[in-house]
Amino acid sequence: MSVQELVVRRGRRSGVTTMVAVHSRVLGPAVGGCRFKVYPELGDAIDDVLRLSAAMTRKCAVAGLDFGGGKSVIALERVPSPEQRRDILLDHADLIASLDGAYLAGPDVGTGPDDMLVLRERTPHAFCVPEEHGGTGSSSGPTAVGVLAALRAGAKTVFGETSMRGREVVISGYGSVGAHLADALVEEGAEVTVSDVDEQRLLAAAGLGLRRVAPDRVLGIEADVLIPAAVGGVFGPAAEVRAPLVVGPANNQLTDDSVADDLAARGVLWIPDFVASAGGVVYTLGREKEKLTHDEALARVETLEETTRRILDAASANGTTPLAEANALAEARLTSGAEPRTPSPREPRTAA
């Protein structure tokens, strides 16, 4: 896994280890979320930040953004107190500041707009601070809009229509993005089932009349659409998937890229996570870097439907997978540094 720079530092205030991985700056400064999480070992945190930064490079390239891929991780040994949390965030902000704009941070698992405001005390290179402080706030809504755009493209391929009316949809992860997706899909007329490890979230889902399922059973449910919206690494070679369409915002859903071939061989259309989850970064950078209006930025997020459709069309024409075509699209842009090309059928592959 190629990475331009990995910086790991123990905070002078908190003693907690934080890190930033800059995977690529070919297209511009590296952007990526700040993950605040307890890890079993430091090596697990380093593996995570490297994988996530590489995924951000592909996400930005495919989405047509003039930014590279990066990620940062705050590697906790235990859940801190509120006072400790502030010191940890300030230590992390110092690390980000030391990179002189090579890495731009946003919220990720375990962090939100208020945390970005703390980072801003030490560095200007943090996005999504609360709206009352001049930022765009949570990117969960735009992320969900991007997932729905990719979902429409996938539904057209699998079901012949974009409508979700009457479709059985299972959402694994009822956090902020998952909740946005559930609301939108119910409004469209879908039958929605949700799962989450947090009992309070499931109680909230029950209060809205949503069906619930235990996390250890979610992958095996027969449905039209499965939406992974929680943790990554959920699909391995032996993963049971009983939905013909899988599309969701969780990062790094596959344990290995070869799993995309396994899923395709079983008749499952898996839309790459770095394509489906790009709505948040597209919206945020549009608003905060290009000064687009809310409506203009959301319109740009909606173009992910066309991007996804072209990737799916190319996969069908070439006899490949959506992952192969999305990777080819990202590589072409990273190689040329130009505007993203339209995926198009390549010469048919022949056996040697």
Side-chain angles (χ1 to χ4, degrees), residues 190-342:
E191 300 292 331
V192 177
T193 299
V194 301
S195 177
D196 201 282
V197 295
D198 189 325
E199 281 295 328
Q200 293 303 311
R201 291 177 179 175
L202 289 182
L203 286 174
L208 296 174
L210 297 175
R211 292 178 295 186
R212 295 160 293 157
V213 65
D216 60 352
R217 293 184 51 238
V218 70
L219 295 185
I221 293 181
E222 192 167 336
D224 296 304
V225 181
L226 172 62
I227 299 179
V231 297
V234 292
F235 300 121
E240 183 180 14
V241 180
R242 302 182 67 187
L245 175 59
V246 178
V247 51
N251 291 313
N252 293 338
Q253 294 168 20
L254 308 184
T255 57
D256 184 85
D257 279 0
S258 64
V259 176
D261 298 307
D262 296 333
L263 291 172
R266 287 186 269 160
V268 176
L269 181 66
W270 177 75
I271 294 177
D273 41 41
F274 59 89
V275 177
S277 65
V281 69
V282 169
Y283 177 86
T284 299
L285 293 174
R287 291 291 311 278
E288 299 200 21
K289 296 298 284 187
E290 297 185 52
K291 307 305 179 186
L292 299 180
T293 66
H294 170 74
D295 289 342
E296 289 170 338
L298 275 187
R300 187 168 291 180
V301 173
E302 294 283 6
T303 66
L304 291 172
E305 178 177 357
E306 180 61 21
T307 299
T308 305
R309 185 165 294 161
R310 291 175 177 176
I311 288 170
L312 298 181
D313 288 346
S316 177
N318 292 324
T320 61
T321 65
L323 177 60
E325 295 301 331
N327 280 337
L329 173 57
E331 186 60 32
R333 184 155 191 254
L334 289 165
T335 300
S336 67
E339 288 302 306
R341 65 175 176 86
T342 298

Side-chain angles (χ1 to χ4, degrees), residues 49-288:
V49 78
L50 292 175
R51 283 193 300 266
L52 291 165
S53 66
M56 281 303 302
T57 294
R58 295 190 288 180
K59 181 182 296 188
C60 290
V62 169
L65 300 172
D66 293 328
F67 291 86
K71 208 75 175 184
S72 63
V73 160
I74 295 170
L76 302 172
E77 295 180 359
R78 64 188 66 85
V79 177
S81 68
E83 296 78 13
Q84 291 170 326
R85 182 185 184 94
R86 176 175 168 77
D87 283 344
I88 293 167
L89 288 166
L90 289 173
D91 284 337
H92 193 52
D94 286 341
L95 173 55
I96 294 169
S98 72
L99 298 177
D100 296 324
Y103 165 70
L104 314 176
D108 195 72
V109 173
T111 59
D114 288 340
D115 298 311
M116 297 303 102
L117 192 60
V118 176
L119 296 185
R120 279 277 184 94
E121 294 181 27
R122 306 292 299 175
T123 175
H125 305 302
F127 292 135
C128 297
V129 302
E131 293 183 54
E132 60 268 28
H133 292 278
T136 53
S138 173
S139 61
S140 298
T143 298
V145 170
V147 174
L148 293 169
L151 174 57
R152 288 193 297 272
K156 182 68 174 178
T157 297
V158 175
F159 308 122
E161 61 180 7
T162 61
S163 173
M164 285 290 104
R165 181 164 300 279
R167 298 288 177 196
E168 297 281 346
V169 180
V170 175
I171 302 175
S172 175
Y174 192 66
S176 53
V177 178
H180 278 294
L181 291 169
D183 289 346
L185 289 166
V186 167
E187 188 173 338
E188 284 190 40
E191 300 292 331
V192 177
T193 299
V194 301
S195 177
D196 201 282
V197 295
D198 189 325
E199 281 295 328
Q200 293 303 311
R201 291 177 179 175
L202 289 182
L203 286 174
L208 296 174
L210 297 175
R211 292 178 295 186
R212 295 160 293 157
V213 65
D216 60 352
R217 293 184 51 238
V218 70
L219 295 185
I221 293 181
E222 192 167 336
D224 296 304
V225 181
L226 172 62
I227 299 179
V231 297
V234 292
F235 300 121
E240 183 180 14
V241 180
R242 302 182 67 187
L245 175 59
V246 178
V247 51
N251 291 313
N252 293 338
Q253 294 168 20
L254 308 184
T255 57
D256 184 85
D257 279 0
S258 64
V259 176
D261 298 307
D262 296 333
L263 291 172
R266 287 186 269 160
V268 176
L269 181 66
W270 177 75
I271 294 177
D273 41 41
F274 59 89
V275 177
S277 65
V281 69
V282 169
Y283 177 86
T284 299
L285 293 174
R287 291 291 311 278
E288 299 200 21

